[in-house]
């Protein structure tokens, strides 16, 4: 027992300060753990904030996509790919190359300028349309960048102005939409666009065919979203080669068997090119304006013989245009040269053109429109005359179309088959009811009809054939 006690007494005592070090280590750990936790939480918060900023930047870019596509579908329709690249002045080197500004019908409040569009509380978005791939050196833009010192997704095409006119040969464009938040975070959404050639004759509803129709050209098809009918009976058609030889397309199964060419029946209804407000596309120059909305019948009569060549006739309401002498081809006097009348007609309501001789017209409208009607379009005459529409002009009406004269057109014709307008604008900016005594004024036609021999030779070059559709979309998130 004495040895055990002695052994216990001989154990070395703890060194001074060890307990203090241990306590200090514990305190350091206790302090470090919360600090580390705060650092992790802070890093996560910053990461979440960065992700939120990038998400806001992408949302801004998507807002630019929505704005720009809505403009091209409803306000700036039919602008050719090259014209979109060069801007509204149609020339290289200006300050509007690739920008959606200055086009006819595009108001200041709807434009997307080089300074972008601000969304309060979020930031700004910028949009520029460029060639989807440089074909030649001239396609590379040079000048001041839009949206600051941004780097667009496609290298080499990230700056503003063309040194010379670009070469656009694949019917595709790239629309780059940049979103920039208030703290400088950026995101780019790239939209690939492709020209969607509409057919030579497109009807949004049924089509009655009463005469021979000859359709030629790369885009010279006939498309009807409703029934195609022969109201005279099959016996009147025979086997003439002058019947359509291109594609006949209908959403029903009733295409008459005597139509030659490819018959596509029971097809889904085709999306229609749309112009929401035809009168808004009245050009700023070389025009004459009539306001018929104060008249009981809402209709203005215009003598085309009294209108100078190069004029676009703009009518708030309906218009009945007569052409007796100057539209004739050949002209009444053999010594006069055979030249077309260079005229266009734009109306918020319906258009009727009454011919008293063989007519020949080409469009005066700077975008190539021949006729633009918010209601019906009726091209008619009472004899055996004909009307030649040259220059690749495009014809559009929101309601029904009647070709009751022998028509020869190298442009395209599109009618939506919608109702005639119930109200319409005045030249002073007001709105007037089209319905008088319970009836629509300007309801000239109830069903789209080809009443006399018609030839449509369309090679995809019309204004409405240049409508752009989205074929791909992909984001490129920045910092």
């Amino acid at each position: 027992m004495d040895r055990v006690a002695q052994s216990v007494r001989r154990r070395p005592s703890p060194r001074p300060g060890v307990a203090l070090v241990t306590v200090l280590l514990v305190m350091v750990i206790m302090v470090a753990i919360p600090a580390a936790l705060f650092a992790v939480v802070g890093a996560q918060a910053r990461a979440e904030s960065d992700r939120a900023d990038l998400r806001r930047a992408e949302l801004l870019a998507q807002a630019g996509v929505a704005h720009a596509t809505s403009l091209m579908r409803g306000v700036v329709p039919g602008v050719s790919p090259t014209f979109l690249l060069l801007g509204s002045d149609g020339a290289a080197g200006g300050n509007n190359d690739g920008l959606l500004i200055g086009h006819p019908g595009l108001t200041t409040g709807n434009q997307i300028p080089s300074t972008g569009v601000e969304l309060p509380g979020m930031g700004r978005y910028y949009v520029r349309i460029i060639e989807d791939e440089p074909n030649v050196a001239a396609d590379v833009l040079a000048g001041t960048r839009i949206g600051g010192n941004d780097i667009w997704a496609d290298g080499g095409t990230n700056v503003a102005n063309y040194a010379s006119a670009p070469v656009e040969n694949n019917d595709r464009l790239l629309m780059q939409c940049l979103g920039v938040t208030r703290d400088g975070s950026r995101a780019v959404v790239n939209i690939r666009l492709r020209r969607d050639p509409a057919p030579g004759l497109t009807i949004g509803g049924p089509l009655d065919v009463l005469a021979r129709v000859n359709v030629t050209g790369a885009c010279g098809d006939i498309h009807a979203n409703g029934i195609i009918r022969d109201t005279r009976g099959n016996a009147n058609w025979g086997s003439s080669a002058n019947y359509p030889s291109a594609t006949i397309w209908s959403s029903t199964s009733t295409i008459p068997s005597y139509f030659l060419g490819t018959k596509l029946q029971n097809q889904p209804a085709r999306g229609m090119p749309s112009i929401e407000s035809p009168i808004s596309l009245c050009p700023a120059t070389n025009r004459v304006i009539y306001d018929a909305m104060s008249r009981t019948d809402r209709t203005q009569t215009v003598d085309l013989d009294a209108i100078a060549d190069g004029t676009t006739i703009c009518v708030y309401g309906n218009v009945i245009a007569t052409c007796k002498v100057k539209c004739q081809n050949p002209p009444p006097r053999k010594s006069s040269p055979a030249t077309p009348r260079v005229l266009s007609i734009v109306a918020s309501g319906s258009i009727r053109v009454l011919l008293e001789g063989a007519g020949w017209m080409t469009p005066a409208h700077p975008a190539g429109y021949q006729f633009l009607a918010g209601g019906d379009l009726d091209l008619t005459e009472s004899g055996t005359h004909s009307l030649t529409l040259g220059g690749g002009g495009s014809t559009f009406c929101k309601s029904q179309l009647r070709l009751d004269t022998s028509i020869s057109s190298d442009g395209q014709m599109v009618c939506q088959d919608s109702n005639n307008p119930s109200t319409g604008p005045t030249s002073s900016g007001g709105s007037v009811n089209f319905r008088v005594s319970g009836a629509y004024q300007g309801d000239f036609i109830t069903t789209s009809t080809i009443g006399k021999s018609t030839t449509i030779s369309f090679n995809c070059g019309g204004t409405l054939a240049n409508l752009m559709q989205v074929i791909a979309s992909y984001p490129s998130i920045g910092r």
Side-chain angles (χ1 to χ4, degrees):
M1 293 294 295
D2 292 339
R3 287 195 298 271
V4 173
Q6 185 178 6
S7 175
V8 172
R9 287 194 299 269
R10 290 179 178 175
R11 288 180 179 175
S13 60
R15 296 181 181 179
V18 172
L20 180 60
V21 172
T22 301
V23 171
L24 291 174
L25 287 173
V26 171
M27 293 178 65
V28 168
I29 292 172
M30 292 178 67
V31 171
I33 289 175
L37 290 174
F38 280 122
V40 171
V41 171
Q44 289 178 339
R46 286 192 296 274
E48 289 295 333
S49 177
D50 290 343
R51 281 194 290 269
D53 285 337
L54 290 176
R55 178 58 178 159
R56 280 192 289 270
E58 185 180 2
L59 290 174
L60 283 165
Q62 292 287 3
V65 171
H67 187 173
T69 53
S70 68
L71 290 182
M72 286 194 291
R73 289 172 179 169
V75 181
V76 192
V79 177
S80 70
T82 299
F83 203 58
L84 285 171
L85 294 174
L86 292 176
S88 58
D89 62 0
N95 294 324
N96 57 9
D97 289 2
L99 296 177
L100 291 171
I101 59 175
H103 293 284
L106 182 56
T107 62
T108 302
N110 280 333
Q111 295 182 149
I112 308 179
S114 62
T115 53
V117 175
E118 182 178 4
L119 291 185
M122 290 187 66
R124 305 182 76 84
Y125 60 80
Y126 307 82
V127 175
R128 185 174 293 281
I129 299 170
I130 64 175
E131 177 58 272
D132 68 322
E133 52 187 1
N135 297 312
V136 295
D139 285 356
V140 179
L141 293 160
T144 305
R145 292 178 173 89
I146 65 169
N149 295 320
D150 57 274
I151 299 176
W152 294 107
D154 280 16
T157 56
N158 61 332
V159 285
N161 301 318
Y162 287 102
S164 58
V167 177
E168 205 301 305
N169 57 16
N170 62 359
D171 284 341
R172 296 190 309 178
L173 298 174
L174 178 66
M175 184 170 71
Q176 294 188 316
C177 304
L178 168 69
V180 182
T181 65
R182 290 183 299 172
D183 73 343
S185 296
R186 296 168 179 269
V188 173
V189 175
N190 298 281
I191 303 295
R192 298 279 177 181
L193 302 171
R194 181 179 62 199
R195 189 176 71 158
D196 178 25
L201 177 62
T202 306
I203 304 296
L207 174 63
D208 288 348
V209 181
L210 287 74
R212 295 180 179 182
V213 181
N214 185 35
V215 183
T216 63
C219 292
D221 300 340
I222 293 179
H223 286 228
N225 285 347
I227 184 174
I228 298 177
R229 299 175 291 211
D230 172 25
T231 60
R232 304 180 310 164
N234 294 357
N236 294 324
W237 286 84
S239 58
S240 171
N242 287 330
Y243 298 115
S245 57
T247 301
I248 310 301
W249 188 99
S250 173
S251 61
T252 72
S253 59
T254 57
I255 298 177
S257 60
Y258 46 76
F259 277 121
L260 302 180
T262 303
K263 293 182 283 291
L264 299 178
Q265 302 176 153
N266 294 315
Q267 299 296 304
R270 176 184 171 86
M272 297 291 296
S274 177
I275 299 176
E276 294 303 317
S277 175
I279 193 65
S280 70
L281 296 181
C282 181
T285 59
N286 299 323
R287 66 183 186 181
V288 56
I289 298 177
Y290 298 95
D291 194 337
M293 297 304 284
S294 61
R295 297 173 178 265
T296 302
D297 60 0
R298 309 290 190 259
T299 302
Q300 177 74 42
T301 300
V302 177
D303 180 5
L304 296 183
D305 288 339
I307 303 296
D309 273 339
T311 302
T312 296
I313 301 165
C314 302
V315 180
Y316 289 84
N318 310 309
V319 57
I320 296 178
T322 61
C323 191
K324 297 181 180 180
V325 178
K326 290 186 178 180
C327 289
Q328 293 186 29
N329 178 40
R333 297 178 182 178
K334 295 182 179 180
S335 59
S336 302
T339 57
R341 293 301 322 273
V342 185
L343 297 171
S344 294
I345 302 178
V346 179
S348 63
S350 298
I351 298 173
R352 172 173 283 161
V353 178
L354 297 174
L355 295 172
E356 295 188 21
W360 183 16
M361 297 178 68
T362 59
H365 194 284
Y369 292 113
Q370 187 74 71
F371 302 109
L372 285 175
D376 295 331
L377 175 63
D378 184 14
L379 305 179
T380 186
E381 45 86 18
S382 58
T384 58
H385 306 303
S386 64
L387 175 61
T388 299
L389 300 176
S394 290
T395 290
F396 174 86
C397 62
K398 296 195 71 173
S399 298
Q400 286 77 44
L401 168 71
R402 179 168 66 178
L403 305 180
D404 201 26
T405 182
S406 181
I407 290 282
S408 176
S409 174
D410 63 1
Q412 63 180 153
M413 297 184 177
V414 176
C415 278
Q416 286 185 304
D417 199 59
S418 300
N419 293 327
N420 279 271
S422 57
T423 60
T426 65
S427 58
S428 60
S431 183
V432 176
N433 196 336
F434 260 109
R435 189 186 291 273
V436 179
S437 301
Y440 285 115
Q441 301 302 305
D443 191 6
F444 296 154
I445 311 160
T446 57
T447 302
S448 292
T449 304
I450 298 177
K452 295 185 179 178
S453 177
T454 296
T455 297
I456 296 176
S457 178
F458 181 50
N459 288 300
C460 315
T463 300
L464 291 169
N466 291 310
L467 293 175
M468 307 300 289
Q469 65 175 348
V470 174
I471 59 174
S473 173
Y474 53 95
S476 174
I477 305 299
R479 60 171 178 79

PDB file of all heavy atoms in Angstrom, residues 123-134:
ATOM      1  N   GLY A 123     -34.719  47.621 -65.668  1.00  0.00           N
ATOM      2  CA  GLY A 123     -33.586  47.943 -66.530  1.00  0.00           C
ATOM      3  C   GLY A 123     -34.070  48.266 -67.928  1.00  0.00           C
ATOM      4  O   GLY A 123     -35.170  48.773 -68.123  1.00  0.00           O
ATOM      5  N   ARG A 124     -33.261  47.928 -68.932  1.00  0.00           N
ATOM      6  CA  ARG A 124     -33.587  48.257 -70.319  1.00  0.00           C
ATOM      7  C   ARG A 124     -33.352  47.039 -71.197  1.00  0.00           C
ATOM      8  O   ARG A 124     -32.540  46.172 -70.884  1.00  0.00           O
ATOM      9  CB  ARG A 124     -32.721  49.421 -70.841  1.00  0.00           C
ATOM     10  CG  ARG A 124     -32.789  50.667 -69.998  1.00  0.00           C
ATOM     11  CD  ARG A 124     -31.945  51.787 -70.605  1.00  0.00           C
ATOM     12  NE  ARG A 124     -32.594  52.393 -71.752  1.00  0.00           N
ATOM     13  CZ  ARG A 124     -33.503  53.354 -71.685  1.00  0.00           C
ATOM     14  NH1 ARG A 124     -33.873  53.850 -70.509  1.00  0.00           N
ATOM     15  NH2 ARG A 124     -34.043  53.856 -72.766  1.00  0.00           N
ATOM     16  N   TYR A 125     -34.069  47.021 -72.331  1.00  0.00           N
ATOM     17  CA  TYR A 125     -33.774  46.010 -73.337  1.00  0.00           C
ATOM     18  C   TYR A 125     -33.492  46.686 -74.669  1.00  0.00           C
ATOM     19  O   TYR A 125     -33.973  47.778 -74.958  1.00  0.00           O
ATOM     20  CB  TYR A 125     -34.893  44.974 -73.468  1.00  0.00           C
ATOM     21  CG  TYR A 125     -36.254  45.508 -73.852  1.00  0.00           C
ATOM     22  CD1 TYR A 125     -36.579  45.821 -75.172  1.00  0.00           C
ATOM     23  CD2 TYR A 125     -37.257  45.650 -72.889  1.00  0.00           C
ATOM     24  CE1 TYR A 125     -37.833  46.283 -75.519  1.00  0.00           C
ATOM     25  CE2 TYR A 125     -38.526  46.108 -73.229  1.00  0.00           C
ATOM     26  CZ  TYR A 125     -38.803  46.426 -74.542  1.00  0.00           C
ATOM     27  OH  TYR A 125     -40.054  46.885 -74.880  1.00  0.00           O
ATOM     28  N   TYR A 126     -32.665  46.008 -75.461  1.00  0.00           N
ATOM     29  CA  TYR A 126     -32.215  46.498 -76.755  1.00  0.00           C
ATOM     30  C   TYR A 126     -32.444  45.400 -77.783  1.00  0.00           C
ATOM     31  O   TYR A 126     -32.317  44.212 -77.484  1.00  0.00           O
ATOM     32  CB  TYR A 126     -30.725  46.855 -76.722  1.00  0.00           C
ATOM     33  CG  TYR A 126     -30.327  47.809 -75.622  1.00  0.00           C
ATOM     34  CD1 TYR A 126     -30.092  47.341 -74.325  1.00  0.00           C
ATOM     35  CD2 TYR A 126     -30.170  49.164 -75.872  1.00  0.00           C
ATOM     36  CE1 TYR A 126     -29.717  48.202 -73.305  1.00  0.00           C
ATOM     37  CE2 TYR A 126     -29.794  50.039 -74.862  1.00  0.00           C
ATOM     38  CZ  TYR A 126     -29.574  49.547 -73.576  1.00  0.00           C
ATOM     39  OH  TYR A 126     -29.204  50.402 -72.584  1.00  0.00           O
ATOM     40  N   VAL A 127     -32.771  45.807 -79.017  1.00  0.00           N
ATOM     41  CA  VAL A 127     -33.007  44.828 -80.081  1.00  0.00           C
ATOM     42  C   VAL A 127     -32.306  45.305 -81.341  1.00  0.00           C
ATOM     43  O   VAL A 127     -32.422  46.479 -81.716  1.00  0.00           O
ATOM     44  CB  VAL A 127     -34.513  44.644 -80.357  1.00  0.00           C
ATOM     45  CG1 VAL A 127     -34.723  43.705 -81.551  1.00  0.00           C
ATOM     46  CG2 VAL A 127     -35.224  44.104 -79.128  1.00  0.00           C
ATOM     47  N   ARG A 128     -31.589  44.412 -81.977  1.00  0.00           N
ATOM     48  CA  ARG A 128     -31.014  44.700 -83.292  1.00  0.00           C
ATOM     49  C   ARG A 128     -31.171  43.470 -84.172  1.00  0.00           C
ATOM     50  O   ARG A 128     -31.035  42.338 -83.724  1.00  0.00           O
ATOM     51  CB  ARG A 128     -29.539  45.080 -83.212  1.00  0.00           C
ATOM     52  CG  ARG A 128     -28.989  45.499 -84.580  1.00  0.00           C
ATOM     53  CD  ARG A 128     -27.574  46.011 -84.491  1.00  0.00           C
ATOM     54  NE  ARG A 128     -27.476  47.248 -83.759  1.00  0.00           N
ATOM     55  CZ  ARG A 128     -27.777  48.447 -84.247  1.00  0.00           C
ATOM     56  NH1 ARG A 128     -28.233  48.555 -85.468  1.00  0.00           N
ATOM     57  NH2 ARG A 128     -27.642  49.518 -83.519  1.00  0.00           N
ATOM     58  N   ILE A 129     -31.495  43.700 -85.441  1.00  0.00           N
ATOM     59  CA  ILE A 129     -31.638  42.627 -86.417  1.00  0.00           C
ATOM     60  C   ILE A 129     -30.397  42.624 -87.296  1.00  0.00           C
ATOM     61  O   ILE A 129     -30.036  43.651 -87.882  1.00  0.00           O
ATOM     62  CB  ILE A 129     -32.906  42.832 -87.270  1.00  0.00           C
ATOM     63  CG1 ILE A 129     -34.136  42.816 -86.366  1.00  0.00           C
ATOM     64  CG2 ILE A 129     -33.022  41.748 -88.336  1.00  0.00           C
ATOM     65  CD1 ILE A 129     -35.406  43.240 -87.064  1.00  0.00           C
ATOM     66  N   ILE A 130     -29.754  41.480 -87.375  1.00  0.00           N
ATOM     67  CA  ILE A 130     -28.516  41.368 -88.144  1.00  0.00           C
ATOM     68  C   ILE A 130     -28.596  40.153 -89.056  1.00  0.00           C
ATOM     69  O   ILE A 130     -29.493  39.313 -88.937  1.00  0.00           O
ATOM     70  CB  ILE A 130     -27.278  41.269 -87.230  1.00  0.00           C
ATOM     71  CG1 ILE A 130     -27.335  39.991 -86.394  1.00  0.00           C
ATOM     72  CG2 ILE A 130     -27.159  42.487 -86.333  1.00  0.00           C
ATOM     73  CD1 ILE A 130     -26.093  39.765 -85.557  1.00  0.00           C
ATOM     74  N   GLU A 131     -27.657  40.044 -89.971  1.00  0.00           N
ATOM     75  CA  GLU A 131     -27.560  38.871 -90.826  1.00  0.00           C
ATOM     76  C   GLU A 131     -27.201  37.666 -89.969  1.00  0.00           C
ATOM     77  O   GLU A 131     -26.386  37.765 -89.052  1.00  0.00           O
ATOM     78  CB  GLU A 131     -26.498  39.112 -91.907  1.00  0.00           C
ATOM     79  CG  GLU A 131     -26.245  37.941 -92.838  1.00  0.00           C
ATOM     80  CD  GLU A 131     -27.499  37.506 -93.563  1.00  0.00           C
ATOM     81  OE1 GLU A 131     -28.214  36.677 -92.987  1.00  0.00           O
ATOM     82  OE2 GLU A 131     -27.757  37.978 -94.671  1.00  0.00           O
ATOM     83  N   ASP A 132     -27.826  36.536 -90.228  1.00  0.00           N
ATOM     84  CA  ASP A 132     -27.598  35.376 -89.368  1.00  0.00           C
ATOM     85  C   ASP A 132     -26.205  34.797 -89.548  1.00  0.00           C
ATOM     86  O   ASP A 132     -25.682  34.126 -88.672  1.00  0.00           O
ATOM     87  CB  ASP A 132     -28.661  34.292 -89.597  1.00  0.00           C
ATOM     88  CG  ASP A 132     -28.539  33.645 -90.963  1.00  0.00           C
ATOM     89  OD1 ASP A 132     -28.236  34.370 -91.931  1.00  0.00           O
ATOM     90  OD2 ASP A 132     -28.749  32.424 -91.064  1.00  0.00           O
ATOM     91  N   GLU A 133     -25.591  35.031 -90.705  1.00  0.00           N
ATOM     92  CA  GLU A 133     -24.198  34.637 -90.893  1.00  0.00           C
ATOM     93  C   GLU A 133     -23.615  35.526 -91.982  1.00  0.00           C
ATOM     94  O   GLU A 133     -24.216  35.710 -93.027  1.00  0.00           O
ATOM     95  CB  GLU A 133     -24.087  33.165 -91.275  1.00  0.00           C
ATOM     96  CG  GLU A 133     -24.947  32.758 -92.450  1.00  0.00           C
ATOM     97  CD  GLU A 133     -24.909  31.259 -92.673  1.00  0.00           C
ATOM     98  OE1 GLU A 133     -24.222  30.576 -91.902  1.00  0.00           O
ATOM     99  OE2 GLU A 133     -25.553  30.788 -93.616  1.00  0.00           O
ATOM    100  N   PRO A 134     -22.446  36.107 -91.732  1.00  0.00           N
ATOM    101  CA  PRO A 134     -21.872  37.016 -92.732  1.00  0.00           C
ATOM    102  C   PRO A 134     -21.574  36.266 -94.027  1.00  0.00           C
ATOM    103  O   PRO A 134     -20.908  35.248 -94.027  1.00  0.00           O
ATOM    104  CB  PRO A 134     -20.591  37.515 -92.063  1.00  0.00           C
ATOM    105  CG  PRO A 134     -20.802  37.282 -90.600  1.00  0.00           C
ATOM    106  CD  PRO A 134     -21.642  36.057 -90.508  1.00  0.00           C
TER     107      PRO A 134
END
